[in-house]
């Protein structure tokens, strides 16, 4: 029976919202990324992520299948020796989906009200992986020697839809119309991939990634936020009681709200060196966002991921430093550090593994 | 005709072998051969596994080769069981479990040889 393997639950805390999305290998500060790296052929992965960076809860499923699987006879005659052994090419195809419930007003409201409204995001993705092993001669300190080297690459096609109710405040309107909702419907489509290869006498790991995507976005994350409470005063027996309706104590965005289409191009490099015992990954991920409204937005991220001993594919925690919209295409009047700089961290907890 | 290639002349005193193995660890892929035959590898409960039933002439050996693919630095553990006509057998040089780490080239090879 095929098993359902569960789960790493990363808890992600980002101190400022980030514009960079969909890290190719490890997650970025926004907890973006697709669970394909730890996927074993024929196995299913179910993961859940709480992300305080963008106020969301994300559930991800991924399954991968081997194409041209070996056909094994019921009984093998071990006295005959096939030479050379015939090994089919190692190609895998996979599919995944994730749903994400989010609240623009803060993750705490999800727990206090039990509701994921007003935001929902769903994505489907397909993956193709190719692995190959070759004999290679490498240089060593004492000369050279022949070793086997494995490399593999993964290509992902993804598409998704999101719907979010946003609260806006426009002080220029009449009092009754200052507070209003708008329903944002976004979508994304993209292609991404990464290539894993050994470097530095084949002892270090280097992961090269890149992606191109089209996204329909809004600028709500960049608007100033204000908290507005309607207060009712009640007089009873000489006592003044103030009642604050919780439903209206929302955060409202104020400023010029806009929706627009963005093309995002991103590259990433992750290096896992031997001299640190394969316990740390250094990641650099520059990107550029191109749109008719705010363009170009140049972004750069640096991340340090702390890896599980003996399992360099598994991150147990990470630190992020991101510089978003470094040239201020967004036109913010905030100072550089407040406007661009994002710090983030993650911690992962393995809650269940069958 | 060579008896090794002619099934009609196969000796009747062949030993029945049952072999089962699993590899634990965050490896990416696994290939296994037994005396040169590629074996079907599946994943059960997050571990790579493969099994086979075989026939072999007494006195011969089974050589199982594991080719492990994963990021350099990945640790793994191989467990196996083998029985020949119901009698448990093992590799005295590499008794189960066999542990290792991929230390170069995202690839490692381990060999288990069991005398029947």
């Amino acid at each position: 029976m095929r098993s359902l393997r569960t789960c790493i639950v990363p808890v992600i805390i980002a101190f400022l919202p980030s514009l960079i999305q969909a890290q190719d290998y490890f997650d970025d500060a926004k907890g973006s990324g697709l669970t394909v790296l730890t996927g074993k052929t024929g196995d299913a992965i179910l993961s859940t992520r709480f992300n305080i960076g963008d106020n969301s809860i994300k559930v991800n499923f991924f399954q991968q299948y081997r194409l041209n699987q070996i056909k094994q006879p019921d009984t093998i005659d071990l006295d005959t020796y096939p030479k050379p052994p015939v090994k089919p090419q190692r190609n895998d195809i996979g599919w995944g989906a994730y749903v994400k419930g989010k609240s623009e007003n803060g993750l705490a409201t999800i727990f206090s009200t039990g509701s994921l409204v007003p935001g929902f995001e769903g994505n489907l993705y397909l993956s193709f992986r190719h692995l190959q092993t070759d004999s290679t001669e490498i240089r060593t300190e004492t000369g050279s020697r022949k070793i086997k080297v494995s490399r593999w690459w993964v290509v992902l096609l993804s598409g998704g839809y999101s719907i979010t109710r946003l609260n806006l405040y426009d002080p220029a309107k009449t009092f009754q119309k200052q507070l209003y909702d708008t329903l944002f419907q976004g979508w994304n489509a993209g292609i991404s991939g990464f290539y894993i290869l050994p470097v530095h006498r084949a002892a270090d790991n280097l992961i090269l990634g890149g992606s191109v995507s089209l996204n329909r976005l809004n600028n709500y994350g960049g608007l100033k936020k204000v908290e507005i409470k309607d207060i009712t005063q009640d007089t009873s027996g000489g006592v003044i009681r103030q009642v604050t309706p919780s439903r209206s104590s929302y955060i409202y965005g104020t400023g010029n709200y806009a929706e627009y289409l963005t093309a995002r191009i991103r590259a990433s490099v992750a290096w896992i060196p031997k001299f640190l015992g394969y316990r740390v990954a250094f990641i650099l991920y520059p990107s550029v966002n191109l749109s008719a409204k705010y363009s170009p937005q140049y972004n750069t991220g640096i991340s340090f991921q702390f890896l599980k001993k003996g399992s360099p594919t598994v991150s147990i925690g990470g630190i992020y430093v991101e510089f978003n919209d470094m040239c201020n295409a967004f036109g913010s009047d905030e100072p550089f550090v407040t406007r661009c700089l994002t710090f983030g961290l993650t911690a992962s907890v393995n809650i269940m593994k069958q | 005709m060579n008896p090794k290639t002619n099934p009609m002349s196969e000796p009747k005193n062949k030993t029945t072998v049952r072999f089962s193995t699993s590899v634990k660890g965050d490896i990416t892929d696994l290939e296994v051969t037994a005396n040169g035959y590629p074996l079907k590898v599946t994943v059960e409960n997050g571990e790579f596994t493969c099994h086979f039933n075989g026939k072999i002439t007494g006195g011969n050996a089974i050589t199982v080769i594991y080719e492990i693919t994963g990021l350099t630095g990945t640790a793994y553990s191989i467990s196996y069981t083998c029985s020949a006509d119901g009698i448990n057998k093992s590799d005295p040089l590499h008794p189960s479990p066999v542990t290792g780490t991929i230390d170069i080239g995202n690839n490692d090879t381990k060999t288990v040889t069991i005398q029947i």
Side-chain angles (χ1 to χ4, degrees):
Chain A
M1 195 171 106
R2 193 165 282 164
S3 70
L4 190 67
R5 195 158 61 91
T6 318
C7 255
I8 303 288
V9 179
V11 179
I12 298 174
I13 301 166
F15 302 114
L16 289 169
S18 163
L19 295 173
I20 298 176
Q21 292 180 16
Q23 183 70 14
D24 290 320
Y25 186 67
F26 296 104
D27 280 342
D28 61 14
K30 204 168 182 178
S32 307
L34 305 169
T35 308
V36 297
L37 289 160
T38 53
K40 293 173 178 172
T41 304
D43 202 18
I45 296 174
L46 183 67
S47 61
T48 306
R49 171 179 292 123
F50 298 94
N51 187 344
I52 301 172
D54 71 342
N55 307 319
S56 69
I57 296 175
K58 178 177 167 184
V59 179
N60 185 87
F61 177 85
F62 178 68
Q63 179 136 29
Q64 192 163 236
Y65 308 90
R66 173 64 43 98
L67 299 172
N68 43 39
Q69 179 65 274
I70 290 170
K71 291 180 176 65
Q72 183 179 312
D74 292 338
T75 303
I76 297 170
D77 183 351
L78 295 159
D79 288 329
T80 61
Y81 300 93
K83 288 183 180 177
V86 181
K87 293 180 184 175
Q89 282 212 330
R90 291 182 290 165
N91 295 320
D92 299 319
I93 194 160
W95 71 276
Y98 73 78
V99 291
K100 193 170 172 181
K102 61 187 291 190
S103 167
E104 294 294 339
N105 297 323
L107 196 62
T109 63
I110 294 175
F111 297 109
S112 62
T113 65
S115 170
L116 296 181
V117 174
F120 169 82
E121 183 183 326
N123 260 68
L124 286 171
Y125 55 97
L126 297 171
S127 71
F128 181 80
R129 180 173 76 171
H130 175 74
L131 300 103
Q132 96 181 49
T133 300
D134 303 302
S135 291
T136 307
E137 196 162 294
I138 60 157
R139 285 188 169 188
T140 63
E141 288 162 358
T142 55
S144 64
R145 67 173 172 132
K146 211 165 191 179
I147 61 163
K148 281 187 175 178
V149 170
S150 294
R151 300 174 174 84
W152 62 99
W153 51 262
V154 176
V155 172
L156 291 153
L157 292 172
S158 63
Y161 168 79
S162 66
I163 184 165
T164 312
R165 195 186 72 191
L166 304 170
N167 298 320
L168 293 166
Y169 168 60
D170 186 352
K173 292 185 176 179
T174 58
F175 183 79
Q176 286 82 0
K177 294 181 179 177
Q178 283 180 348
L179 304 180
Y180 63 101
D181 296 335
T182 186
L183 201 64
F184 170 72
Q185 297 187 71
W187 55 266
N188 67 79
I191 181 168
S192 60
F194 56 86
Y195 181 56
I196 296 183
L197 70 164
V199 293
H200 193 240
R201 296 192 184 114
D204 294 352
N205 295 299
L206 194 70
I207 300 126
L208 306 175
S211 68
V212 178
S213 62
L214 274 177
N215 305 265
R216 179 153 182 82
L217 301 175
N218 62 60
N219 67 348
Y220 187 82
L223 298 180
K224 284 184 180 175
K225 302 298 187 303
V226 292
E227 186 174 355
I228 296 172
K229 297 177 181 177
D230 290 337
I231 297 171
T232 304
Q233 290 186 344
D234 181 26
T235 305
S236 176
V239 178
I240 296 175
R241 182 173 295 158
Q242 290 190 329
V243 180
T244 305
S246 61
R247 275 185 61 81
S248 63
S249 62
Y250 285 153
I251 304 294
Y252 286 77
T254 183
N256 294 320
Y257 173 75
E259 298 178 3
Y260 54 96
L261 192 65
T262 293
R264 176 179 291 132
I265 303 162
R266 191 191 59 250
S268 69
V269 180
W271 175 46
I272 306 172
K274 180 183 180 182
F275 75 89
L276 291 173
Y278 307 104
R279 299 300 305 274
V280 180
F282 300 95
I283 306 168
L284 175 70
Y285 47 105
S287 69
V288 59
N289 299 354
L290 302 171
S291 68
K293 194 163 182 64
Y294 309 108
S295 189
Q297 291 181 44
Y298 295 105
N299 317 293
T300 299
I302 301 165
S303 169
F304 306 92
Q305 293 286 330
F306 303 100
L307 310 175
K308 185 179 167 188
K309 188 179 181 184
S311 300
T313 54
V314 179
S315 168
I316 54 176
I319 297 170
Y320 307 89
V321 181
E322 295 183 354
F323 297 93
N324 298 314
D325 190 16
M326 291 183 291
C327 297
N328 198 16
F330 212 68
S332 171
D333 52 4
E334 300 281 351
F336 180 83
V337 172
T338 310
R339 170 171 55 82
C340 288
L341 190 59
T342 299
F343 291 105
L345 62 90
T346 64
S348 299
V349 182
N350 195 342
I351 57 167
M352 191 168 80
K353 191 172 182 178
Q354 293 175 343
Chain B
M1 186 176 254
N2 186 350
K4 287 183 178 177
T5 57
N6 183 0
M8 299 301 291
S9 62
E10 186 178 276
K12 290 182 178 176
N13 60 345
K14 282 201 170 190
T15 303
T16 300
V17 173
R18 294 184 194 283
F19 187 89
S20 185
T21 188
S22 65
V23 179
K24 196 187 291 185
D26 289 309
I27 62 174
T28 300
D29 196 45
L30 174 70
E31 289 181 296
V32 186
T33 60
N35 285 7
Y37 286 91
L39 302 177
K40 183 179 178 180
V41 176
T42 57
V43 176
E44 295 169 14
N45 298 326
E47 296 179 12
F48 287 94
T49 61
C50 69
H51 320 271
F52 71 86
N53 297 326
K55 293 279 186 187
I56 192 167
T57 304
N60 283 356
I62 303 170
T63 302
V64 180
I65 299 173
Y66 299 81
E67 196 162 293
I68 296 153
T69 300
L71 287 188
T72 302
T74 303
Y76 60 85
S77 174
I78 299 169
S79 302
Y80 68 87
T81 58
C82 180
S83 69
D85 284 342
I87 300 167
N88 289 337
K89 299 280 184 179
S90 180
D91 180 346
L93 296 177
H94 302 101
S96 179
V98 180
T99 58
T101 300
I102 300 171
D103 61 2
I104 197 163
N106 294 345
N107 183 279
D108 202 14
T109 302
K110 278 278 189 286
T111 302
V112 170
T113 305
I114 300 169
Q115 197 67 39
I116 303 300

